[in-house]
Amino acid sequence: MSRLQGSARRFTAADVLILVNGVSAFGSGLVYPYTALYLSDLPAMGTAGVSVFYGAAAAANLATTGVLATGWIKPPPALLGLAGTLMLATGFLGTAVADSLALLCAAVLFIGCGQGCLLVAMVPVLNSLTAQEQRRSVFARRYRAINVGLGLGAVAAGLTTGILTTSAVPWLFVCNALSYLPLTYAFHRVRARERDEVPRPADAEHSTDPGGSGDKERSGGSGGGRRWLGAAGTLAVLFQLGAYLFGHSQFEATAPLVAVRLMGIGLGTVSGLLLVNTLVVALGQTWVTRLLSSRDEAYGLRAAVVLWAAAYGVAATSAFGPLPVRYAGLLLFAVVFALGECAYSCSFHPWLIDSVRPGDVTRVSALAGGAMGIGTAAGPSVGVALTLTGEATAVWLSLASFCLLLLLTLGRRRPAVPATAAGAPAQTPASHTGDTT
């Protein structure tokens, strides 16, 4: 019995947040593979509806993260997450019933703003629930939960649309909207816990940095010689931009294009690559996290970049071989790339948190979220431009070279806050409340 009680005690508030984040990812997996097909088939939408959905969502997301990054408004992260999930639920419900471009645009603005809020809120909230020595494991588990949720959602959507065709997609939007409600409740509980454990005078005391440096930074002053963001925060944002510009987005968009058009691989193999990638992330995340546990987070990010470059190198080498070699090379590419994702997921956010001052975590997270959005949107264009060379090897080797440039953003530097100072407050939900109110 005591052993069971010990297991129960180890299931923390961070674990709950990760679990319900996985549930919301399952909802996303239900709709994202079929959103464009569904909207393009609607008489009132067509390709214009597809453009509105993705364009307006991206613009609203970037605008939201941009405003939050300025620090002009500093809502508590848990409250920001709660608002974001409610906006996402509202937006997807609206998309399910939208019968005109105007209504679709209104619904998508909720989706984009909600995505921006949720993206900015999740990192500081998880950090506030996690001791410093557990950060790497927590963010790795979150990445795995998201990937498993997306994969299972896509499978469920495939089975549903296979039986009911795309006429079932509006109901999938409804299911996706409902999938955000457990996450909404989790943020509500975190916010309630913050209010219970942190007296209001303490909130007021922590709302500014010691010595007033926070006010000077927000106002753009140069007091103490500090820049608004600093070199560490800038490098973190640049790394995130490059990771999505030359990494994540290239696997999702460019790899299928090159495989089919330049390497003569069938469409079925594209699904196989995605499946292998998801399985390796799900099964290998714990092993990679444990393997990197004795190293600092910057080492984990270097490993991620090198693994991505190696994956591109494997694909480039296989392009010279006959069809079976190309098939085998691309499957190995998917495996190595997934291992790089595992190294990235357990390293990036802990590295970001340790690289900046506690009061800057939410702002830098917002900027990193915006960089991720830009990289995701612009990455496919980079890949398409490279495919114009008509040579698969040139595409893969170019991407490998671009990836290796990210090593320049990972210079050796010490954390912005001493480990004891950074880790101690992170064990209580109050650690970032003052910094973001």
Side-chain angles (χ1 to χ4, degrees):
M1 177 65 71
S2 61
R3 187 174 180 180
L4 292 176
Q5 289 174 344
S7 298
R9 284 194 296 272
R10 286 196 295 270
F11 195 76
T12 64
D15 294 322
V16 173
L17 197 64
I18 290 169
L19 178 63
V20 293
N21 198 182
V23 171
S24 69
F26 175 84
S28 298
L30 289 175
V31 301
Y32 284 138
Y34 298 96
T35 297
L37 290 173
Y38 167 70
L39 292 175
S40 62
D41 286 342
L42 292 179
M45 304 290 181
T47 55
V50 177
S51 299
V52 166
F53 184 90
Y54 290 105
N61 189 333
L62 287 174
T64 302
T65 55
V67 169
L68 293 170
T70 63
W72 294 338
I73 57 173
K74 304 189 72 175
L79 182 61
L80 190 63
L82 191 154
T85 53
L86 286 177
M87 283 191 283
L88 281 162
T90 302
F92 280 108
L93 283 176
T95 302
V97 299
D99 57 1
S100 69
L101 286 175
L103 290 177
L104 178 66
C105 186
V108 169
L109 288 177
F110 275 93
I111 292 174
C113 292
Q115 287 172 334
C117 291
L118 180 58
L119 193 64
V120 173
M122 186 60 74
V123 173
V125 169
L126 266 182
N127 182 50
S128 73
L129 299 172
T130 307
Q132 184 184 28
E133 62 271 15
Q134 295 297 320
R135 284 178 188 158
R136 178 174 278 170
S137 174
V138 164
F139 283 104
R141 293 201 303 273
R142 176 181 174 244
Y143 190 78
R144 179 173 57 192
I146 290 173
N147 274 271
V148 171
L150 286 170
L152 292 176
V155 170
L159 294 173
T160 302
T161 55
I163 297 172
L164 302 175
T165 71
T166 54
S167 62
V169 174
W171 293 106
L172 297 182
F173 279 120
V174 173
C175 291
N176 186 30
L178 295 177
S179 74
Y180 286 102
L181 298 184
L183 191 54
T184 302
Y185 181 73
F187 279 122
H188 166 71
R189 292 301 303 160
V190 172
R191 182 59 183 154
R193 184 175 169 183
E194 287 175 347
R195 289 197 301 264
D196 290 343
E197 294 189 6
V198 183
R200 299 313 301 174
D203 286 343
E205 181 180 347
H206 287 290
S207 63
T208 57
D209 295 331
S213 61
D215 292 335
K216 293 176 183 178
E217 289 178 275
R218 284 192 294 272
S219 63
S222 57
R226 292 180 176 177
R227 291 189 293 271
W228 177 78
L229 185 58
T234 302
L235 289 174
V237 172
L238 288 175
F239 180 89
Q240 182 79 322
L241 175 63
Y244 276 84
L245 194 61
F246 307 125
H248 295 284
S249 68
Q250 300 303 328
F251 182 86
E252 297 168 1
T254 304
L257 185 65
V258 177
V260 173
R261 294 190 178 179
L262 301 183
M263 297 179 69
I265 302 299
L267 286 173
T269 303
V270 173
S271 299
L273 293 178
L274 296 174
L275 178 61
V276 168
N277 179 267
T278 301
L279 286 176
V280 173
V281 169
L283 300 177
Q285 183 68 77
T286 300
W287 175 72
V288 173
T289 303
R290 188 181 300 117
L291 190 66
L292 294 173
S293 61
S294 61
R295 303 280 191 165
D296 61 37
E297 287 81 4
Y299 180 92
L301 293 179
R302 291 188 189 96
V305 170
V306 171
L307 284 168
W308 285 340
Y312 291 137
V314 168
T317 303
S318 69
F320 292 106
L323 191 60
V325 172
R326 280 175 270 159
Y327 273 110
L330 286 175
L331 288 177
L332 182 57
F333 157 76
V335 171
V336 177
F337 196 94
L339 293 175
E341 290 184 69
C342 293
Y344 162 87
S345 67
C346 68
S347 304
F348 176 72
H349 287 109
W351 175 71
L352 181 151
I353 291 166
D354 279 342
S355 296
V356 301
R357 292 181 296 275
D360 285 337
V361 169
T362 301
R363 279 194 298 166
V364 178
S365 295
L367 286 169
M372 182 184 74
I374 294 171
T376 301
S381 298
V382 173
V384 169
L386 290 174
T387 60
L388 295 178
T389 63
E391 294 291 337
T393 303
V395 177
W396 297 126
L397 292 181
S398 296
L399 291 175
S401 300
F402 290 146
C403 265
L404 291 176
L405 288 176
L406 294 179
L407 294 174
L408 297 176
T409 67
L410 298 171
R412 298 179 62 183
R413 64 182 186 279
R414 302 166 70 179
V417 183
T420 53
Q427 299 180 35
T428 65
S431 63
H432 287 288
T433 304
D435 293 327
T436 54
T437 50

